[in-house]
Amino acid sequence: MLSMASKFRCPGCGYVYDEAQGDDHEGYPPGFAFAELPEGFVCPDCSVRYKEDFLQDDPA
Amino acid sequence: MHLYTLTSADGHVESYTDRKRYWWMLSLVNPLIPLLGVGGHLFSANELWLVVPLLLMFVLGPLFDWLFGEDENNPPEVLVPQLEDDRYYRILTYLTVPLHYITFLCVAVWVGTQSLSWWGFLTLTVAVGFADGFAINTGHELGHKRTKIETWLAKIVLAVPAYGHFWIEHNRGHHRDVATPQDPASARMGESIYKFARREIPGAFHRAWMIEHERLCRKGVPVWSLHNEVLQSYLITIVLQVGLIAAFGWIMLPFLLVHNFFSWWVLTSANYIEHYGLLRATQADGKFERCQPHHSWNANHKYSNLLLFHLQRHSDHHANPTRRYQSLRHFEDLPSLPSGYYGMYIIAYFPSLWFKMLDPRLLALPHINGDLSKINIDPDAKQHIYAKYGE
């Protein structure tokens, strides 16, 4: 699963949700898929952008 | 004066000097204002000095805003990264944290050891309540940043006004719901500040607690634990305030109650004026549109902005919450207030005056243009407002 992990970026403030890392502070463990985040997910840093606004980073 | 420069690929040199650079030190004076009253009383033995801090805030503040006028200067966008990296600005926000503690403790000692008249006690306590309410402003600036030191300093300074839930409530609740009817921290047209306070104060606490509860449940840690970021700050408050009662006795109880109330009231007042009546449109998918610059009221007044870390350039703050205070911008054609917050607070405390001044301004905004359906209206005032302003 981790080999498929992607990064999703808030287009407003640049916060990155990295599926490989999850977000420990927010309570999402490593490997927690972006798609599985709740519908009402808003950017944890700016709270301006919604889940559907996030852009997937191109795989390096 | 520090000069920021950047040479672009085509050889064009962009440069910028922040004319307000050293003026920002005024933000260090703000927390100390109540000490002027204490110092004056100490040296002159005249209790009238205790009234001076409130006069400085609410008479001199609006007067200076009127006298020194507005500032519409913006830094060039390409130099904003340099401006944001300049540690000087950050150090000023760090320094206000101990200053709030020093003022609070000095005033507490003064109240606890002197036999003040009832009015001397009250004016000094209200003044330090207001000054520490502005600790929420310091906590606000720090709490929006991503570095560990800044988020911790935010929690530490929020312990002084006993408003530990602000960090979560504001960043995760208010910013998400701003300018919508469901936001307890956005005032509705026709809602007086006194009615707003009864919705805002409990509503904000409830929202902060629910957000933190949800996060801690996801993490699988107990809500009543040190992991709880609402409780972390309140724990410092308890140590501080119980310590004062133990040291100076029961006189501290009215002091702390009045102090805490007025600290909270400062935030209520700011929240009341920052989004009064403004409403984000509902999209086809039922969600609210993203927060735009025209969803906040602004004041460009030099003096109060220097005291408040540009809090009054509120539109840019809500559109770009992680931007640092020194780089917040002015935009043309935004909802703008006739005075800085000090003057607007006083107006807000007289609801009929507030409605008279702000309602026509609200209706005249370009994106509203008299259309009442584009305004966040208090349901209880709807009939009256439609009768007065409807077609």
Side-chain angles (χ1 to χ4, degrees):
Chain A
M1 181 182 178
L2 286 184
S3 59
M4 303 278 288
S6 302
K7 293 178 180 177
F8 295 83
R9 185 178 299 270
C10 169
C13 73
Y15 165 85
V16 174
Y17 183 82
D18 181 347
E19 290 182 328
Q21 307 279 325
D23 186 324
D24 179 47
H25 181 263
E26 292 303 312
Y28 301 114
F32 198 92
F34 183 80
E36 297 300 314
L37 291 172
E39 266 315 292
F41 178 84
V42 286
C43 173
D45 275 356
C46 72
S47 293
V48 175
R49 304 297 182 120
Y50 297 115
K51 183 181 174 184
E52 59 267 30
D53 298 325
F54 273 61
L55 303 170
Q56 187 166 359
D57 272 6
D58 289 332
Chain B
M1 196 75 78
H2 188 84
L3 182 74
Y4 304 93
T5 56
L6 187 78
T7 311
S8 61
D10 61 4
H12 173 74
V13 180
E14 187 82 67
S15 61
Y16 176 70
T17 305
D18 180 7
R19 281 176 293 170
K20 290 194 278 194
R21 185 178 176 88
Y22 297 112
W23 285 106
W24 283 117
M25 284 190 209
L26 269 179
S27 57
L28 303 181
V29 174
N30 200 24
L32 298 174
I33 288 175
L35 292 187
L36 190 71
V38 173
H41 185 205
L42 173 68
F43 290 111
S44 72
N46 186 343
E47 263 193 272
L48 275 176
W49 271 96
L50 300 180
V51 187
V52 170
L54 279 180
L55 294 178
L56 275 180
M57 289 181 217
F58 293 105
V59 177
L60 215 62
L63 191 71
F64 278 2
D65 267 344
W66 175 74
L67 211 63
F68 297 121
E70 303 189 32
D71 166 38
E72 298 183 350
N73 185 44
N74 287 339
E77 211 42 41
V78 289
L79 292 172
V80 164
Q82 286 185 35
L83 193 61
E84 298 236 332
D85 283 344
D86 190 334
R87 290 186 61 79
Y88 164 77
Y89 296 97
R90 229 168 282 190
I91 287 164
L92 293 184
T93 55
Y94 297 178
L95 284 175
T96 52
V97 176
L99 293 180
H100 278 291
Y101 273 84
I102 289 168
T103 299
F104 172 64
L105 291 173
C106 284
V107 172
V109 169
W110 197 247
V111 168
T113 56
Q114 307 295 308
S115 39
L116 303 176
S117 67
W118 69 268
W119 59 266
F121 169 85
L122 198 64
T123 45
L124 181 63
T125 308
V126 171
V128 76
F130 268 102
D132 286 341
F134 291 115
I136 302 177
N137 182 47
T138 293
H140 173 251
E141 175 64 26
L142 290 164
H144 270 296
K145 306 301 171 290
R146 297 185 179 103
T147 66
K148 256 207 161 78
I149 180 168
E150 283 169 296
T151 47
W152 261 107
L153 284 172
K155 290 182 221 174
I156 290 169
V157 78
L158 288 171
V160 179
Y163 214 96
H165 58 290
F166 177 80
W167 185 52
I168 291 164
E169 146 56 20
H170 178 86
N171 288 23
R172 308 304 305 277
H174 174 59
H175 271 270
R176 183 191 63 198
D177 300 334
V178 65
T180 67
Q182 65 225 44
D183 183 21
S186 295
R188 301 163 178 165
M189 184 187 189
E191 184 178 39
S192 77
I193 190 169
Y194 306 104
K195 186 179 180 196
F196 172 69
R198 298 200 299 273
R199 185 165 68 88
E200 185 238 17
I201 295 173
F205 188 85
H206 180 254
R207 180 166 58 183
W209 189 262
M210 295 315 287
I211 291 170
E212 188 60 355
H213 186 272
E214 217 175 277
R215 185 183 75 88
L216 294 170
C217 287
R218 268 201 308 268
K219 279 177 81 86
V221 294
V223 174
W224 291 94
S225 70
L226 279 178
H227 296 284
N228 186 322
E229 293 185 326
V230 173
L231 296 180
Q232 287 169 355
S233 184
Y234 273 109
L235 205 60
I236 306 174
T237 304
I238 290 170
V239 170
L240 207 58
Q241 303 207 344
V242 170
L244 284 174
I245 294 171
F248 299 107
W250 293 111
I251 181 70
M252 283 295 107
L253 201 61
F255 169 73
L256 293 169
L257 286 174
V258 174
H259 166 271
N260 296 351
F261 172 79
F262 279 93
S263 290
W264 290 27
W265 182 248
V266 170
L267 176 68
T268 296
S269 308
N271 277 335
Y272 181 70
I273 66 183
E274 281 163 352
H275 309 282
Y276 177 78
L278 300 172
L279 179 67
R280 282 154 62 193
T282 308
Q283 300 174 154
D285 63 1
K287 287 190 172 178
F288 289 104
E289 65 172 317
R290 191 166 71 230
C291 179
Q292 308 282 335
H294 59 261
H295 295 128
S296 309
W297 289 94
N298 294 270
N300 253 327
H301 298 78
K302 280 183 204 152
Y303 174 74
S304 47
N305 264 319
L306 286 168
L307 259 62
L308 301 176
F309 292 126
H310 255 164
L311 176 68
Q312 307 174 139
R313 284 191 170 178
H314 211 60
S315 285
D316 200 16
H317 168 65
H318 265 276
N320 304 288
T322 54
R323 210 170 238 266
R324 290 180 181 273
Y325 70 94
Q326 66 270 26
S327 44
L328 287 174
R329 291 160 295 180
H330 151 77
F331 294 109
E332 297 294 335
D333 296 326
L334 286 182
S336 67
L337 297 165
S339 177
Y341 282 10
Y342 294 96
M344 296 316 295
Y345 276 22
I346 301 291
I347 294 166
Y349 301 158
F350 299 94
S352 52
L353 180 63
W354 173 269
F355 297 143
K356 207 173 169 175
M357 282 182 77
L358 266 290
D359 289 354
R361 245 172 213 267
L362 177 65
L363 285 157
L365 291 174
H367 76 282
I368 292 174
N369 199 18
D371 185 348
L372 290 170
S373 70
K374 293 180 177 166
I375 295 179
N376 183 9
I377 300 179
D378 179 1
D380 294 338
K382 205 162 190 172
Q383 208 174 359
H384 158 74
I385 286 171
Y386 269 82
K388 191 170 178 186
Y389 297 109
E391 292 295 332

